Amino acid sequence: MYTLNEKLNLLRQRIQNRKVKVLIMGLGSVGNYLLDYLLSEGDENMEIVVAGRNLEKMQSDVNIVKVAGLIRGKNKSRVSIYCNLDLNSEESIVQCLNEIEPDVVVNSSRAYSGLKYGSISWNNIRAYGIWTPLSIKYIKNIMAAHERVGSSAIVINTSYSDAVIPWLKSAGKAYPDFGSGNINHLIPRIKLAVAEQYHIEDFWNIDITYATAHFHDVVISKEGHTEGVDQLICIKYNGKVIKADLKKIFADCKIVMPVDAKRNMMNASSNFEIIKAVLDAVRNGKKVKLHCPGIFGEVGGYPVIVDGTKENIVSYIETNDFTLDQMRSKNAESIYLDGIEKVEAGALYYTDELLHKVKKAFGVELVKCVPFDKIEETAQFIINEIIDKQRNK
């Protein structure tokens, strides 16, 4: 498996004389929004391939995005469709990767489509980690195929990367390079809240350094508080640290949001941000900062630098404001509240508190430890015993 730095430098070499090729696996709402955002760049040197199983639906979705983009004068990227991709089949993914030879792969698929898992878990157990076996179900197949074909494509995962990417790494498997969403969704909320409190017009220039896991993305976004947990955050403007009223800042992060598929504009935007940052570093020699869950196989979310200013591109977790140990500790504290005790030696361990909540809320005995070879079995158990039964009520 190539390291992220090796992939970035190989990408720089490959696209010197050709277009960059982005493969979107799964054209649900996240994939559709992402396709629209990528086309809106008007990038003549980008080719986009969307892959799935329903040709008629994909053709319809792609056509409307292409025509809408052309109306705006932005549709300059070539878009094509790859049909018959089955994410349950490693062989099918291998065939897809061999045929397309992508530079960037985005996994925007879901094991149980059309459902926001949090709509079941948050009100009942206030924890999202229960769904990790479903979140890893497809990306583990994608990464196994990715390794088999010897691909150096950069892979972005969109589903609960706080735990999914570390789970793959701890099992000695190939794992995605970036996770999108989660912590990334909090950063703009914080910028808007700080700008309001300090009357800052150019709020996009507020600099945030933050380390936290998925639980705090949800509890801050939904309820405007931190559940009594101090946050590891540094806020700067024009190079100066702002000693903000964090309690008020986090309270102001609770803003009205849709509960339907429009929420996936944020996840698609997170994927777009990562792709744009990578291309800015690789093509334009820029140094960019991101916040990503699961980066380098770490549990939780971290600030990440991708630096393309020198001959060799490098990427790393930013440690100017906090040490890596501080960030690891804070992420462990946050993800514990999400129901995950630890990810170790290829196994995911739920917290005892989560097991008790699941038993009380759903009448289901969830296993404490999910070994890597029991992912499929556990995911199906969760679908059968929790999701289907809750949806059929």
Side-chain angles (χ1 to χ4, degrees):
M1 176 181 170
Y2 293 97
T3 66
L4 175 54
N5 288 344
E6 288 171 336
K7 289 181 177 183
L8 290 166
N9 285 287
L10 286 169
L11 179 59
R12 174 176 275 177
Q13 295 172 22
R14 283 200 306 271
I15 64 173
Q16 286 179 352
N17 299 306
R18 67 163 177 82
K19 298 180 179 182
V20 64
K21 187 181 293 185
V22 178
L23 170 62
I24 302 174
M25 290 184 164
L27 200 61
S29 58
V30 172
N32 266 291
Y33 282 126
L34 177 59
L35 176 61
D36 189 23
Y37 300 157
L38 290 173
L39 283 187
S40 292
E41 283 289 277
D43 190 342
E44 298 176 60
N45 291 310
M46 178 181 290
E47 180 180 349
I48 306 164
V49 182
V50 297
R53 300 182 73 177
N54 189 329
L55 178 59
E56 185 177 355
K57 179 184 181 300
M58 286 193 295
Q59 284 178 330
S60 175
D61 288 346
V62 167
N63 285 342
I64 194 168
V65 173
K66 287 169 66 176
V67 172
L70 198 53
I71 291 170
R72 300 192 305 271
K74 291 293 186 178
N75 184 1
K76 298 180 181 178
S77 303
R78 181 179 173 227
V79 183
S80 58
I81 294 172
Y82 179 92
C83 196
N84 297 320
L85 172 66
D86 181 1
L87 292 176
N88 286 303
S89 166
E90 188 179 315
E91 293 299 330
S92 175
I93 303 167
V94 165
Q95 184 176 344
C96 175
L97 294 176
N98 275 330
E99 185 170 327
I100 295 170
E101 297 183 332
D103 299 304
V104 179
V105 176
V106 181
N107 169 39
S108 65
S109 60
R110 293 174 67 83
Y112 198 109
S113 61
L115 171 69
K116 183 170 174 53
Y117 303 144
S119 65
I120 294 176
S121 61
W122 188 251
N123 292 333
N124 289 295
I125 58 176
R126 290 176 66 79
Y128 194 94
I130 181 177
W131 312 117
T132 315
L134 274 74
S135 298
I136 199 174
K137 180 175 165 63
Y138 285 159
I139 190 63
K140 71 178 178 62
N141 295 339
I142 292 169
M143 293 313 304
H146 182 276
E147 187 169 41
R148 274 181 59 186
V149 303
S151 175
S152 62
I154 291 167
V155 182
I156 304 170
N157 182 57
T158 63
S159 185
Y160 205 56
S161 295
D162 300 74
V164 163
I165 297 179
W167 197 354
L168 285 163
K169 184 178 181 180
S170 78
K173 308 294 184 181
Y175 54 90
D177 303 286
F178 293 98
S180 70
N182 301 358
I183 185 174
N184 169 275
H185 296 168
L186 265 183
I187 303 302
R189 292 172 184 260
I190 295 169
K191 288 185 178 183
L192 291 171
V194 171
E196 180 72 19
Q197 189 175 128
Y198 286 87
H199 308 291
I200 297 173
E201 293 292 331
D202 56 334
F203 53 84
W204 51 89
N205 287 322
I206 296 170
D207 180 60
I208 307 288
T209 303
Y210 194 19
T212 196
H214 180 268
F215 178 83
H216 281 97
D217 165 40
V218 178
V219 76
I220 292 170
S221 299
K222 281 183 174 291
E223 301 176 6
H225 63 86
T226 67
E227 200 83 349
V229 176
D230 292 336
Q231 297 297 288
L232 204 61
I233 186 168
C234 180
I235 304 169
K236 297 177 183 177
Y237 179 65
N238 289 335
K240 296 180 180 179
V241 174
I242 295 177
K243 297 294 185 181
D245 179 349
L246 291 179
K247 186 174 182 180
K248 185 177 188 312
I249 292 298
F250 290 130
D252 289 345
C253 286
K254 180 187 175 183
I255 57 179
V256 177
M257 297 288 286
V259 295
D260 60 11
K262 289 191 292 293
R263 285 185 61 88
N264 286 328
M265 291 175 68
M266 295 190 301
N267 206 331
S269 296
S270 301
N271 286 293
F272 173 82
E273 181 190 37
I274 294 167
I275 295 169
K276 190 173 189 308
V278 165
L279 293 181
D280 274 345
V282 170
R283 285 174 169 173
N284 306 320
K286 291 185 178 181
K287 181 179 180 179
V288 293
K289 180 177 178 178
L290 301 163
H291 281 82
C292 292
I295 191 75
F296 302 119
E298 296 283 348
V299 171
Y302 297 80
V304 184
I305 301 296
V306 182
D307 186 354
T309 58
K310 298 181 175 61
E311 183 177 353
N312 287 320
I313 306 169
V314 294
S315 57
Y316 53 89
I317 293 174
E318 185 184 50
T319 55
N320 291 338
D321 298 300
F322 309 111
T323 68
L324 185 56
D325 284 343
Q326 284 178 308
M327 290 187 276
R328 284 172 170 164
S329 177
K330 188 56 65 176
N331 271 295
E333 189 176 5
S334 177
I335 207 164
Y336 188 95
L337 293 173
D338 227 15
I340 295 178
E341 183 177 298
K342 60 182 177 179
V343 180
E344 184 178 272
L348 178 89
Y349 292 81
Y350 290 123
T351 64
D352 292 338
E353 292 89 338
L354 178 68
L355 300 181
H356 175 74
K357 290 176 181 177
V358 169
K359 175 66 175 176
K360 183 178 179 180
F362 306 125
V364 171
E365 296 276 359
L366 199 62
V367 295
K368 171 76 174 179
C369 171
V370 184
F372 197 83
D373 63 359
K374 297 294 184 182
I375 287 172
E376 298 282 348
E377 178 183 322
T378 307
Q380 195 58 51
F381 176 84
I382 291 171
I383 290 172
N384 294 343
E385 299 301 320
I386 299 178
I387 294 179
D388 285 345
K389 289 183 178 180
Q390 290 298 306
R391 298 196 83 183
N392 291 331
K393 276 187 173 182

